[in-house]
Amino acid sequence: MRFNPQIAKGSRPKPTLNSLKEATMKSTLLGLTTAILTTVGSAHALEASPGNAEAGATVFKRCMACHSVGPDAKNGVGPALNGVVGRAAGVYPGYDYSAANKNSGLTWDEPTLTTYLHAPRKLVPGTKMTFAGLSKDQDIADVIAYLKQFNAQGQKVAP
């Protein structure tokens, strides 16, 4: 680094043509990088298609060791999931929820269920749910579409 007497005296050096070109180039590259990342992020968000209830029925088989849904659904290791989409967390009748779940303040809307089904213990530390989570976004969308079919009484409703 060369000694610059203007900096030593406390004043700023005057911008040179090269420094202005360099600043413009950096700004342009930053703008292009931001535009590319935004485009890639938007494209990634569009990749996950809407859930398919039929495929969700297959995914739900992984949940059936603890949960049930439908007209004959009963609480088991986990609560019955009739009407779960849109319901407050920790309120299904007759199930002994963890304090973490009851006090979470969550509502099981689609974005919250999506986050929860990826990693239940991450969203609700202290939950009794031991399931590690679903890794595929499409599986999660499908199982949510499947669950949305059932009202609180376990009857299938039109989408």
Side-chain angles (χ1 to χ4, degrees):
M1 180 185 268
R2 290 187 348 189
F3 174 75
N4 186 330
Q6 287 180 327
I7 294 175
K9 291 180 185 176
S11 64
R12 294 179 169 227
K14 293 183 179 176
T16 65
L17 186 56
N18 283 339
S19 67
L20 289 174
K21 284 182 181 177
E22 185 177 328
T24 302
M25 185 182 299
K26 285 181 181 178
S27 176
T28 302
L29 285 173
L30 179 62
L32 285 172
T33 301
T34 302
I36 289 168
L37 291 174
T38 301
T39 302
V40 170
S42 297
H44 179 69
L46 295 175
E47 282 178 22
S49 63
N52 176 306
E54 189 174 316
T58 301
V59 176
F60 188 73
K61 288 179 181 178
R62 297 186 225 172
C63 310
M64 290 174 65
C66 299
H67 297 282
S68 60
V69 68
D72 298 323
K74 294 184 179 22
N75 292 329
V77 173
L81 297 179
N82 290 336
V84 69
V85 181
R87 184 173 71 212
V91 299
Y92 193 82
Y95 185 76
D96 184 29
Y97 287 94
S98 65
N101 198 303
K102 283 192 280 191
N103 300 323
S104 69
L106 297 174
T107 297
W108 297 126
D109 57 18
E110 290 183 53
T112 304
L113 276 170
T114 299
T115 301
Y116 185 73
L117 291 174
H118 268 293
R121 289 178 175 231
K122 187 172 181 181
L123 183 63
V124 183
T127 183
K128 292 189 328 187
M129 187 156 149
T130 59
F131 183 66
L134 296 169
S135 59
K136 295 179 183 173
D137 291 340
Q138 191 61 56
D139 284 350
I140 292 171
D142 292 344
V143 81
I144 291 171
Y146 174 72
L147 292 171
K148 281 174 62 175
Q149 299 180 104
F150 297 94
N151 66 17
Q153 292 73 38
Q155 304 302 315
K156 278 195 175 184
V157 293

